[in-house]
C-alpha cells in the first residue's frame, strides 16, 4: 500500500514537473533565455553537483540492498552517504542562487529568472523534503525500527529519492545543456 501511494504521488509530481519544463521551454522561445543562461549559469559546476546527486541514487540503492540483507550497519553508512550527497547538491544550488542574486538575476527581474527559479526551486524543494525523510529513515534505522526486511519503508522512500534524481536529469538538460545545443 505504501508503495502504491508513493507511485501515485510520484505520478502527480511528474505531471507538475512536465508542466514546469514545458512552461520553461515556452518562455524560452519568447525571451532571451539563451543569452541569460550562457551569461549566468555554469554548466561545469552544476554538472559536478549533478553527478553527486545521481551518485546519491547509487548510495541509496546500496542502502536498500543492505536493508534487504538485514545489514543494519551497512544501511546506516549508505544512508549517511546519500544524505551527504543530497546535502552537497542542495548547498551547490544555494551557492548558485547566491551568485545569481549577486549578478542581479532575481525571480521578479525577468522571464528567465522567474522560470529558472520556479523550475529549479521546485526541484530543490523536493530534494530538501527527501533529505528530511532520509534523516527520519536514518534515525529509525539507528534506533532499530527498520530491522524487518519485509518493511516497505525503505523501498517506498527509494521510489521518491530515485524520482527526484531522475527528474533532475530532465531539468538539468533543459536549463543547462539545451542552451549550448541550440
Amino acid at each position: 500500500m505504501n508503495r502504491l501511494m508513493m507511485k501515485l504521488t510520484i505520478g502527480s509530481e511528474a505531471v507538475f514537473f512536465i508542466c514546469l519544463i514545458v512552461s520553461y521551454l515556452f518562455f524560452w522561445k519568447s525571451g532571451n533565455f539563451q543569452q541569460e543562461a550562457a551569461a549566468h549559469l555554469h554548466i561545469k559546476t552544476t554538472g559536478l553537483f549533478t553527478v553527486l546527486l545521481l551518485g546519491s541514487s547509487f548510495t541509496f540503492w546500496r542502502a536498500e540492498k543492505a536493508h534487504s540483507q538485514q545489514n543494519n550497519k551497512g544501511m546506516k553508512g549508505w544512508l549517511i552517504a546519500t544524505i551527504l550527497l543530497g546535502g552537497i547538491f542542495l548547498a551547490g544550488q544555494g551557492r548558485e542562487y547566491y551568485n545569481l542574486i549577486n549578478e542581479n538575476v532575481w525571480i521578479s527581474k525577468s522571464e528567465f529568472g522567474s522560470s529558472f527559479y520556479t523550475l529549479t526551486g521546485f526541484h530543490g524543494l523536493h530534494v530538501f523534503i527527501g533529505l528530511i525523510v532520509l534523516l527520519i529513515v536514518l534515525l529509525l534505522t539507528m534506533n532499530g525500527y527498520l530491522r524487518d526486511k519485509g518493511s516497505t519503508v525503505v523501498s517506498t522512500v527509494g521510489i521518491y529519492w530515485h524520482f527526484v534524481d531522475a527528474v533532475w536529469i530532465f531539468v538539468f538538460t533543459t536549463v543547462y545543456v539545451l542552451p549550448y545545443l541550440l
Side-chain angles (χ1 to χ4, degrees):
M1 189 64 166
N2 291 345
R3 293 174 54 88
L4 176 62
M5 291 303 293
M6 182 55 74
K7 287 177 182 176
L8 291 172
T9 301
I10 294 303
S12 67
E13 295 295 307
V15 170
F16 203 84
F17 272 107
I18 289 169
C19 291
L20 286 176
I21 289 172
V22 169
S23 297
Y24 184 89
L25 293 172
F26 175 79
F27 286 117
W28 184 19
K29 274 185 83 173
S30 62
N32 57 351
F33 278 33
Q34 200 156 357
Q35 292 172 341
E36 294 217 39
H40 300 291
L41 302 181
H42 304 281
I43 189 170
K44 290 179 184 174
T45 305
T46 306
L48 177 63
F49 289 119
T50 298
V51 169
L52 296 176
L53 182 65
L54 298 180
S56 73
S57 261
F58 172 77
T59 56
F60 192 82
W61 173 73
R62 294 297 305 161
E64 288 176 297
K65 285 286 187 193
H67 178 255
S68 69
Q69 297 167 348
Q70 295 183 316
N71 177 358
N72 207 35
K73 185 177 177 184
M75 184 175 159
K76 282 189 278 187
W78 288 114
L79 279 174
I80 290 170
T82 303
I83 292 166
L84 284 174
L85 290 171
I88 291 170
F89 173 82
L90 209 52
Q93 189 172 13
R95 179 181 169 271
E96 181 175 45
Y97 284 9
Y98 177 79
N99 290 337
L100 288 172
I101 290 169
N102 283 335
E103 294 172 10
N104 208 19
V105 178
W106 294 86
I107 192 167
S108 60
K109 188 81 172 178
S110 65
E111 290 173 334
F112 171 75
S114 299
S115 300
F116 173 81
Y117 284 114
T118 301
L119 181 56
T120 60
F122 191 67
H123 179 266
L125 175 66
H126 280 73
V127 173
F128 181 71
I129 291 168
L131 288 175
I132 291 171
V133 173
L134 288 172
L135 282 170
I136 292 169
V137 170
L138 178 62
L139 290 174
L140 291 173
T141 301
M142 293 173 80
N143 290 315
Y145 289 108
L146 296 177
R147 290 182 191 264
D148 177 19
K149 72 177 189 179
S151 170
T152 60
V153 171
V154 176
S155 63
T156 303
V157 172
I159 292 170
Y160 179 84
W161 191 253
H162 296 307
F163 167 75
V164 167
D165 287 0
V167 163
W168 181 250
I169 293 171
F170 293 103
V171 172
F172 179 75
T173 302
T174 302
V175 174
Y176 295 90
V177 177
L178 218 51
Y180 291 98
L181 296 179
L182 300 177

Short mmCIF file of all heavy atoms in Angstrom, two decimals, residues 10 23 39-40 45 79 92 101 103 108 131 133 149 151 168 170:
data_model
loop_
_atom_site.label_atom_id
_atom_site.label_comp_id
_atom_site.label_asym_id
_atom_site.label_seq_id
_atom_site.Cartn_x
_atom_site.Cartn_y
_atom_site.Cartn_z
N ILE A 10 4.13 10.22 -6.98
CA ILE A 10 5.16 10.48 -7.99
C ILE A 10 4.52 10.80 -9.33
O ILE A 10 4.98 11.70 -10.05
CB ILE A 10 6.10 9.25 -8.11
CG1 ILE A 10 6.89 9.03 -6.82
CG2 ILE A 10 7.04 9.40 -9.30
CD1 ILE A 10 7.72 10.19 -6.37
N SER A 23 6.59 24.94 -19.60
CA SER A 23 6.49 26.40 -19.40
C SER A 23 7.84 27.07 -19.61
O SER A 23 7.94 28.12 -20.25
CB SER A 23 5.97 26.72 -18.00
OG SER A 23 4.69 26.22 -17.82
N ALA A 39 25.23 33.55 -19.97
CA ALA A 39 25.93 34.57 -19.19
C ALA A 39 25.98 34.25 -17.70
O ALA A 39 26.93 34.62 -17.02
CB ALA A 39 25.24 35.92 -19.40
N HIS A 40 24.97 33.57 -17.17
CA HIS A 40 24.87 33.42 -15.72
C HIS A 40 25.00 32.00 -15.19
O HIS A 40 25.32 31.81 -14.01
CB HIS A 40 23.53 34.01 -15.23
CG HIS A 40 23.38 35.45 -15.55
ND1 HIS A 40 24.13 36.44 -14.94
CD2 HIS A 40 22.58 36.08 -16.44
CE1 HIS A 40 23.78 37.62 -15.44
NE2 HIS A 40 22.84 37.43 -16.35
N THR A 45 30.07 23.50 -13.16
CA THR A 45 29.86 23.41 -11.71
C THR A 45 28.58 22.66 -11.40
O THR A 45 28.57 21.75 -10.57
CB THR A 45 29.80 24.83 -11.09
OG1 THR A 45 30.98 25.54 -11.46
CG2 THR A 45 29.67 24.76 -9.59
N LEU A 79 23.02 5.24 3.97
CA LEU A 79 22.06 6.34 4.16
C LEU A 79 22.79 7.65 4.46
O LEU A 79 22.43 8.71 3.92
CB LEU A 79 21.09 6.02 5.30
CG LEU A 79 19.93 5.11 4.97
CD1 LEU A 79 19.14 4.77 6.24
CD2 LEU A 79 19.00 5.74 3.94
N GLY A 92 25.07 23.31 -3.25
CA GLY A 92 25.50 23.83 -4.54
C GLY A 92 24.42 24.67 -5.20
O GLY A 92 24.71 25.71 -5.80
N ILE A 101 21.88 36.03 -7.59
CA ILE A 101 21.35 37.23 -6.96
C ILE A 101 22.39 38.34 -6.97
O ILE A 101 22.09 39.51 -7.23
CB ILE A 101 20.84 36.91 -5.53
CG1 ILE A 101 19.58 36.05 -5.62
CG2 ILE A 101 20.59 38.19 -4.73
CD1 ILE A 101 19.13 35.45 -4.31
N GLU A 103 24.55 38.70 -9.21
CA GLU A 103 24.62 39.14 -10.61
C GLU A 103 23.32 39.81 -11.06
O GLU A 103 23.11 40.01 -12.24
CB GLU A 103 24.94 37.93 -11.52
CG GLU A 103 26.31 37.36 -11.29
CD GLU A 103 26.54 36.05 -12.05
OE1 GLU A 103 25.72 35.68 -12.91
OE2 GLU A 103 27.55 35.40 -11.77
N SER A 108 11.92 38.06 -9.91
CA SER A 108 10.98 39.03 -10.47
C SER A 108 11.63 39.92 -11.53
O SER A 108 10.99 40.82 -12.05
CB SER A 108 10.41 39.90 -9.35
OG SER A 108 11.46 40.58 -8.68
N LEU A 131 15.57 14.84 1.80
CA LEU A 131 16.62 14.77 2.83
C LEU A 131 16.00 14.64 4.22
O LEU A 131 16.52 13.91 5.06
CB LEU A 131 17.51 16.01 2.75
CG LEU A 131 18.45 16.06 1.54
CD1 LEU A 131 19.19 17.39 1.49
CD2 LEU A 131 19.43 14.90 1.57
N VAL A 133 13.13 13.22 4.91
CA VAL A 133 12.64 11.84 5.01
C VAL A 133 13.80 10.87 5.21
O VAL A 133 13.71 9.94 6.01
CB VAL A 133 11.80 11.49 3.75
CG1 VAL A 133 11.44 10.02 3.75
CG2 VAL A 133 10.56 12.35 3.68
N LYS A 149 13.22 -7.01 7.28
CA LYS A 149 13.47 -6.81 5.85
C LYS A 149 12.17 -6.82 5.03
O LYS A 149 12.18 -6.47 3.87
CB LYS A 149 14.46 -7.83 5.32
CG LYS A 149 13.96 -9.23 5.17
CD LYS A 149 15.06 -10.08 4.54
CE LYS A 149 14.53 -11.46 4.17
NZ LYS A 149 15.54 -12.27 3.54
N SER A 151 9.75 -4.84 5.72
CA SER A 151 9.24 -3.47 5.78
C SER A 151 9.37 -2.80 4.41
O SER A 151 10.38 -2.95 3.73
CB SER A 151 10.02 -2.67 6.83
OG SER A 151 9.70 -1.30 6.74
N TRP A 168 15.84 15.48 -12.08
CA TRP A 168 16.93 16.44 -12.24
C TRP A 168 17.61 16.27 -13.60
O TRP A 168 18.08 17.24 -14.19
CB TRP A 168 17.95 16.35 -11.11
CG TRP A 168 19.03 17.36 -11.31
CD1 TRP A 168 20.34 17.14 -11.65
CD2 TRP A 168 18.88 18.79 -11.23
NE1 TRP A 168 21.01 18.33 -11.79
CE2 TRP A 168 20.13 19.36 -11.54
CE3 TRP A 168 17.80 19.62 -10.94
CZ2 TRP A 168 20.34 20.73 -11.56
CZ3 TRP A 168 18.01 21.00 -10.96
CH2 TRP A 168 19.26 21.54 -11.26
N PHE A 170 16.21 15.68 -16.40
CA PHE A 170 15.41 16.46 -17.36
C PHE A 170 15.55 17.96 -17.11
O PHE A 170 15.66 18.75 -18.05
CB PHE A 170 13.94 16.03 -17.29
CG PHE A 170 13.72 14.63 -17.76
CD1 PHE A 170 13.53 13.60 -16.86
CD2 PHE A 170 13.73 14.33 -19.11
CE1 PHE A 170 13.33 12.29 -17.28
CE2 PHE A 170 13.54 13.02 -19.55
CZ PHE A 170 13.35 12.00 -18.64
#
